[in-house]
Amino acid sequence: FGSRKRFKWEAMADGGVRSRAGADKSTATSSPKPLKELSVIVPTYNETENIRPLCERLFKALKAAGLEGDLIVVDDESEGTAETAKIVKELIGEGFPVQIHCRKRSEGRGLSSAVLLGFGLAARSVILCMDADLQHEPESVPGVARPVLEGSAEFSVGSRNVDGGGVGFEWSPLRRLTSLGATMLAWPVARSTDPMSGFFCTRKEVLSRGDGKLNTIGFKIGLEIMVRCRCYPVQDVAITFQDRAAGESKLSAKQYKLYVEQLISLYWDRYGISLLVFLLLLVVFVMFVLARLTRAIL
C-alpha cells in the first residue's frame, strides 16, 4: 500500500467539549452540552454497490437520532471509481450532504491514509470512520458516536465483544481464533475489547495529539490513533458486525503481517525503553531458570 507516511494535523478552534466561557461556579462544573453534529468518513475501493444504500441508511439514522452530519467518501482509484463518483453526484443532486475525493495513485494508496485524508477534509470537530461494505450498520452510527458527542469519552469503538454486540453471520472457528489472538496481542497498548475495529469516533482536537506520529501501516488506523494520540477514556459500544453486502473482502495474509509490524511499533511508542529493559530481564530470567534446570539434571 505504498510507503510509510506521516501526517500532521491542526486542531479546530471549536473542537472538543468544554464548559461555556463566563459561566458561574454552579454551571462551570456541570456536564458539557452534548454536540449534535459529526462528519462520517468512508474509505472506498471498488464499492459501487454499497454507496447508495449506505448513504440513505446513514442519513435516515442520523435524522432519527436528532443529529446533523455529512458524509465524506475517499475513493482509491479502481475500476469502480467512475461509477462511484457518478453515484455520489446523483446523491448530491437528491439533497444528501455528501462529497467524494477520488484519490489518484500518485496521491497515495491504502485504507489508513484514506481515512486520515478524510479526517483532514472534515469540517466538523467530531469525526467518525466506518467501512463502506455495510458490515458496519449505518443505524449504529449514532450509538457509536454518542460517547464522544456527549463528552464522556475521547474515543469510542464499535465493538463485537461487549454485551449486546456480536457477529451477524457464521464465523469459522479459525477466524474467531485469529480475531481473539489479535485482540489479546493489542490489549497491553489499547484497552478496548475490539481494538482492530474500523468503526470508531473521536474529535479533531484529540487527533491533533498524533501530530507527526501517525503512520499508515496496514488497515488498523483506529488502533493507531487510540495508542499514539493517548486517547482516554476509550468507550466500547455494542454493534453487530454483519456479513459483507456486496463486493470482495480486501483482507489478505499481507495485512496480518502488517498488523504485527504495527503492533511492534505501537509497543515501542507506548513503553519505549521500559519495554527493552523488560525483555532483557525476561531473557536473563529464562537463562537463569534453564541453568538451574541443567544443573539439577546433571
Side-chain angles (χ1 to χ4, degrees):
F1 286 100
S3 61
R4 174 169 170 166
K5 297 184 177 180
R6 302 283 184 178
F7 286 77
K8 188 172 182 177
W9 297 91
E10 293 182 1
M12 294 182 66
D14 63 345
V17 180
R18 53 183 180 271
S19 300
R20 290 177 294 128
D24 59 29
K25 292 183 179 180
S26 63
T27 59
T29 57
S30 63
S31 299
K33 183 178 180 180
L35 298 175
K36 288 290 186 179
E37 59 179 33
L38 73 159
S39 291
V40 178
I41 286 74
V42 176
T44 61
Y45 182 82
N46 204 17
E47 297 281 1
T48 55
E49 296 177 72
N50 297 320
I51 292 300
R52 174 170 285 279
L54 184 151
C55 182
E56 293 174 344
R57 290 170 59 183
L58 170 65
F59 287 106
K60 182 178 180 180
L62 292 179
K63 182 178 180 180
L67 300 175
E68 294 183 4
D70 61 306
L71 173 62
I72 301 173
V73 177
V74 183
D75 185 78
D76 272 353
E77 187 176 17
S78 71
E79 61 183 19
T81 293
E83 183 63 22
T84 299
K86 178 183 175 183
I87 293 170
V88 170
K89 185 176 180 180
E90 292 173 351
L91 290 166
I92 293 172
E94 295 168 20
F96 289 100
V98 56
Q99 61 175 292
I100 185 170
H101 179 89
C102 296
R103 190 166 63 156
K104 302 295 183 182
R105 289 183 180 273
S106 59
E107 296 181 78
R109 309 293 290 169
L111 182 143
S112 293
S113 60
V115 172
L116 293 177
L117 175 59
F119 285 164
L121 294 173
R124 304 174 193 267
S125 62
V126 175
I127 44 181
L128 180 143
C129 174
M130 64 184 299
D131 290 348
D133 54 16
L134 298 178
Q135 289 189 294
H136 298 153
E137 296 178 300
E139 293 77 15
S140 296
V141 167
V144 172
R146 184 169 294 113
V148 176
L149 290 169
E150 294 180 348
S152 61
E154 288 190 342
F155 193 95
S156 55
V157 181
S159 174
R160 302 161 292 181
N161 304 322
V162 292
D163 289 343
V167 178
F169 60 99
E170 188 62 33
W171 246 16
S172 69
L174 177 60
R175 190 170 179 184
R176 288 183 182 274
L177 182 61
T178 301
S179 178
L180 176 61
T183 297
M184 293 178 65
L185 286 173
W187 180 251
V189 292
R191 293 302 177 91
S192 169
T193 60
D194 204 347
M196 299 179 296
S197 176
F199 197 176
F200 62 89
C201 183
T202 188
R203 303 193 316 269
K204 279 198 166 187
E205 181 184 15
V206 174
L207 189 67
S208 68
R209 297 177 197 157
D211 183 10
K213 298 179 181 179
L214 298 175
N215 66 62
T216 60
I217 292 177
F219 272 41
K220 308 308 176 186
I221 187 59
L223 174 62
E224 182 78 16
I225 294 170
M226 206 186 316
V227 177
R228 296 194 192 274
C229 296
R230 301 295 191 265
C231 298
Y232 183 83
V234 174
Q235 185 169 330
D236 290 334
V237 179
I239 64 166
T240 300
F241 187 69
Q242 299 291 355
D243 199 3
R244 167 176 278 274
E248 298 180 354
S249 173
K250 313 300 187 298
L251 191 63
S252 65
K254 179 181 179 181
Q255 298 311 317
Y256 292 116
K257 175 178 177 292
L258 292 176
Y259 178 65
V260 173
E261 293 177 3
Q262 181 184 19
L263 275 181
I264 292 172
S265 177
L266 293 178
Y267 267 82
W268 181 257
D269 179 80
R270 183 67 178 83
Y271 297 108
I273 193 67
S274 299
L275 177 62
L276 183 60
V277 172
F278 171 77
L279 292 175
L280 287 174
L281 290 175
L282 181 62
V283 169
V284 171
F285 175 75
V286 171
M287 292 177 66
F288 173 77
V289 172
L290 289 176
R292 292 292 296 268
L293 288 174
T294 300
R295 281 198 294 268
I297 293 173
L298 297 177

